[in-house]
Amino acid sequence: MSDPLATPLITNDATVLGLLSLILGFVFYSSNSQHPVWKKFYQYVPALLICYLLPSLLNTFGIVSAKVSQVDEVAKYFLLPACLVLLTLSIDLKAIGALGNKAIIMFLTGTVGVVIGGPIALLVISAMWPELIGVSGPDAVWRGMAALAGSWIGGGANMLAMKEIYGADGKIFTIMVTVDIVVANLWMAFLLYFAANHKRIDAKSGADTSGIDRLINKVEAFEREHARRPELKDFMFILAIGFGAAGFAHLAADFLVPFFKENYPNLEKFSLHSKLFWIIVLVTTIGLILSFTKVRQLEAVGASKVGSSFLYVLVATIGLHMDITQIVEAPKYVVIGLIWMAVHVILLFIVGKMIKAPIFYLAVGSKANIGGAASAPVIASAFHPSLAPVGVLLAVLGYALGTYMAWICGQLLRIIGS
């Protein structure tokens, strides 16, 4: 298995990208094959999940390392912004508003699940391993958990903010980063499975999916109405819009981040010092604005399909961060994370059942907390490309609430852990 300090077998990023592309090509070829073995396999295992899991094996067995490779950074900062623009071109903003308040309810439920899940996990673990409780120094478990709460409600910036606020030392912080990677990625695998089987799950639970169906039907009807055979110029226009908007967002972020750091240092808690935050907000806004123009007609020649291809590359690079051997490296702490996540998930299912929310709201409400703007649109798009903006909007809300709610969680953890 892989040693985090060892050099991976492949360090050339061009080769890494080639491997990921071959994996995605294999998955799409086999998932569309009429061979009975493949048809049976993909009947139970979603293709998108395999696009995520196979790259994780490259990392687990030391063939490729996400810590060495920069492919995931390229996907996050170049392909994700372009993808979001192309996926929002055909969106109907009024239809998003008509989705109602269930998305917000499920998002806030996920936030509450994180806030109360941490203290509950610490209480449970104190009965199993009492030695983890009562440490008062900077290496106290509760301090590291407070930092993790920042990540699971907002994102990386919120996690670092909580680390400083609660004085977690480097060792416990590193352990919690590992817990974050392991537990959050395991949960993402389940969410991808839910996305692939959402119709069956919603039918069984009796959830009202009419609002989501109307939004998807509008987008698909527009595509059918204006569909035509794409030409080379169409693909060049699509790339121009996608990467042009991404480039503008990068340029604007290069000005906005230093401006807010210098003039509004206190706004770091809202992630306004984060370049990725500004890039994602800007490209989503650009995409929504373009949806009211003639540029929307690019959807008729496959804009969302090009965007989705970028999305699959992003999913594969996210998979490179998963190393299944990490589960045994810090078992006690991973157990804390699993209990914590279980509280979050159980609460989501309870509230979702009460309000008859579709599994889409549960998945995106959860991922907008645990994952943020880099992965919430991935999960949303796994249900349908036109739903990506819903994931982005909820993730931005998570950035805003992250510091405050994580601080509350940290106070509860302090009471139990001190």
Side-chain angles (χ1 to χ4, degrees):
M1 298 299 175
S2 66
D3 178 353
L5 298 178
T7 302
L9 184 64
I10 297 173
T11 57
N12 187 314
D13 279 343
T15 306
V16 174
L17 182 59
L19 268 178
L20 295 180
S21 299
L22 287 171
I23 287 172
L24 294 174
F26 165 74
V27 172
F28 271 81
Y29 175 81
S30 57
S31 63
N32 287 279
S33 170
Q34 294 305 306
H35 194 284
V37 173
W38 289 122
K39 289 184 73 173
K40 192 73 172 176
F41 177 78
Y42 286 105
Q43 184 180 345
Y44 298 101
V45 184
L48 185 58
L49 182 58
I50 299 300
C51 293
Y52 173 75
L53 291 179
L54 286 182
S56 75
L57 297 180
L58 297 178
N59 186 42
T60 299
F61 292 101
I63 300 171
V64 175
S65 171
K67 294 179 180 179
V68 175
S69 173
Q70 295 298 307
V71 170
D72 63 320
E73 292 295 302
V74 172
K76 187 192 298 182
Y77 283 95
F78 300 154
L79 296 186
L80 175 60
C83 162
L84 289 176
V85 173
L86 298 177
L87 292 182
T88 52
L89 279 178
S90 61
I91 201 66
D92 189 322
L93 204 54
K94 289 182 180 178
I96 287 184
L99 290 177
N101 56 10
K102 288 184 180 180
I104 300 294
I105 291 173
M106 294 305 291
F107 166 77
L108 293 175
T109 298
T111 303
V112 172
V114 174
V115 172
I116 66 172
I120 290 173
L122 193 57
L123 278 172
V124 173
I125 215 72
S126 66
M128 299 168 62
W129 296 297
E131 67 273 12
L132 293 181
I133 306 297
V135 179
S136 57
D139 59 341
V141 174
W142 71 266
R143 297 181 194 273
M145 291 179 69
L148 182 54
S151 175
W152 280 6
I153 299 175
N158 305 84
M159 186 178 194
L160 290 171
M162 289 302 105
K163 175 185 183 295
E164 297 304 321
I165 288 172
Y166 287 107
D169 73 358
K171 182 180 178 182
I172 192 65
F173 182 76
T174 302
I175 289 172
M176 288 303 162
V177 169
T178 300
V179 172
D180 185 10
I181 293 170
V182 171
V183 177
N185 278 287
L186 284 173
W187 176 229
M188 186 167 182
F190 280 103
L191 291 177
L192 291 173
Y193 177 81
F194 292 157
N197 296 277
H198 65 96
K199 291 183 179 179
R200 180 170 56 83
I201 295 171
D202 287 333
K204 192 173 181 180
S205 65
D208 179 14
T209 62
S210 56
I212 297 173
D213 292 339
R214 280 194 297 272
L215 175 59
I216 293 173
N217 289 338
K218 277 190 174 184
V219 173
E220 291 180 344
F222 179 86
E223 185 179 354
R224 285 194 302 270
E225 231 174 272
H226 299 84
R228 59 182 174 82
R229 186 177 179 180
E231 300 175 16
L232 176 60
K233 67 176 182 179
D234 296 314
F235 289 116
M236 296 310 296
F237 288 153
I238 289 171
L239 293 179
I241 293 297
F243 288 114
F248 172 78
H250 273 267
L251 178 65
D254 285 340
F255 285 100
L256 289 167
V257 171
F259 173 80
F260 277 94
K261 281 184 176 180
E262 183 178 342
N263 297 288
Y264 303 98
N266 292 331
L267 293 183
E268 183 180 7
K269 58 191 174 186
F270 293 115
S271 294
L272 297 186
H273 295 182
S274 165
K275 184 175 181 179
L276 184 62
F277 168 82
W278 281 112
I279 290 171
I280 288 175
V281 169
L282 288 168
V283 294
T284 305
T285 304
I286 292 169
L288 291 173
I289 292 171
L290 291 177
S291 71
F292 291 97
T293 71
K294 289 184 178 180
V295 176
R296 187 185 184 195
Q297 294 177 4
L298 286 175
E299 174 56 24
V301 288
S304 65
K305 292 181 176 64
V306 175
S308 295
S309 67
F310 295 163
L311 186 75
Y312 274 91
V313 176
L314 178 64
V315 169
T317 62
I318 292 174
L320 284 179
H321 285 272
M322 183 62 180
D323 182 349
I324 58 176
T325 63
Q326 289 180 325
I327 297 174
V328 299
E329 290 179 6
K332 294 180 182 178
Y333 300 100
V334 171
V335 170
I336 292 176
L338 291 173
I339 296 170
W340 194 344
M341 184 65 73
V343 175
H344 167 81
V345 173
I346 290 169
L347 191 61
L348 279 169
F349 272 103
I350 291 172
V351 174
K353 184 72 174 175
M354 289 170 60
I355 66 174
K356 291 190 178 299
I359 194 69
F360 168 72
Y361 291 136
L362 183 151
V364 177
S366 173
K367 207 60 189 169
N369 282 287
I370 300 169
S375 54
V378 173
I379 292 298
S381 300
F383 286 83
H384 194 275
S386 64
L387 297 174
V390 180
V392 176
L393 294 173
L394 289 178
V396 170
L397 183 58
Y399 279 137
L401 290 177
T403 299
Y404 299 107
M405 300 306 290
W407 181 84
I408 293 171
C409 182
Q411 292 299 314
L412 296 174
L413 289 165
R414 184 205 297 269
I415 294 170
I416 296 169
S418 297

